[in-house]
Amino acid sequence: MLRQMLVPVDFSVWSHHAARHAFDMARAIGGTVTLLHVLEDHESRPPDLEAARTLLRDLSLLARRPPKCLIVPTRSVFTGHDPGTGDLRGGVGVKDGVASAILAVADQLDAESILMGPHGQGNTEARTLGRVVQQVLLDARQPVQVVPCNTHKPTLDRWERTLANRS
């Protein structure tokens, strides 16, 4: 059973679909979701941090049960977070960037699964996995689910049908 799911988000359409998929799974099986945004070096200014907080808050409104929300810089050491505010105590020690930050947080939180979209911010027509997704897939200790995104069809139909059939 997946009690703890980690969803790295970069606010692309793919991470939005992965978050919605995780929320639906949590609703169906009773797990919890943690949304994670990793601030890269060029995003570490206060306006970027506030924008990330706002976007995480907006994304978390899609869940029936509010997820935990974390914003982690790619530098320094992750020592945990304050569950009430989502603020960090430290960051993540990173050698290889965003993928290492995601994996470090997953290990610290004892996440049982990582759910992510196939791409980050980039070409919407690309037919290959993004660089961060590839690195997470290669180095993760827990299962990684890459959530496909078809922008022409709603992705939640199968979950809605499954939940409706259980009633």
Side-chain angles (χ1 to χ4, degrees):
M1 181 167 175
L2 299 175
R3 293 179 308 250
Q4 173 69 330
M5 294 173 271
L6 178 66
V7 183
V9 294
D10 62 358
F11 309 114
S12 66
V13 66
W14 299 285
S15 64
H16 179 72
H17 281 276
R20 290 188 68 145
H21 180 73
F23 297 152
D24 289 340
M25 283 182 58
R27 183 175 61 192
I29 63 175
T32 61
V33 175
T34 299
L35 298 177
L36 169 68
H37 180 70
V38 179
L39 287 175
E40 296 185 67
D41 292 336
H42 66 277
E43 294 181 320
S44 58
R45 298 181 310 274
D48 294 324
L49 181 60
E50 192 53 42
R53 282 186 179 140
T54 301
L55 290 169
L56 278 175
R57 189 171 37 248
D58 291 347
L59 188 56
S60 68
L61 293 175
L62 299 173
R64 180 175 282 178
R65 271 185 271 157
K68 298 174 191 169
C69 295
L70 292 175
I71 300 172
V72 177
T74 56
R75 303 243 165 126
S76 73
V77 179
F78 180 73
T79 57
H81 71 286
D82 182 353
T85 64
D87 290 337
L88 299 177
R89 294 190 300 264
V92 174
V94 176
K95 295 183 291 189
D96 302 319
V98 176
S100 294
I102 292 167
L103 296 171
V105 171
D107 288 343
Q108 287 289 325
L109 296 177
D110 292 326
E112 295 172 331
S113 179
I114 300 172
L115 288 85
M116 54 194 317
H119 305 283
Q121 305 283 352
N123 183 2
T124 60
E125 300 300 320
R127 301 291 297 169
T128 60
L129 295 176
R131 173 186 50 83
V132 172
V133 176
Q134 289 179 18
Q135 196 63 45
V136 170
L137 283 167
L138 290 172
D139 296 337
R141 294 184 195 150
Q142 47 282 99
V144 177
Q145 181 178 8
V146 179
V147 180
C149 173
N150 184 346
T151 57
H152 304 295
K153 294 181 183 176
T155 58
L156 301 178
D157 286 344
R158 72 171 181 261
W159 285 108
E160 290 171 354
R161 284 192 306 266
T162 302
L163 292 174
N165 290 338
R166 295 180 100 189
S167 301

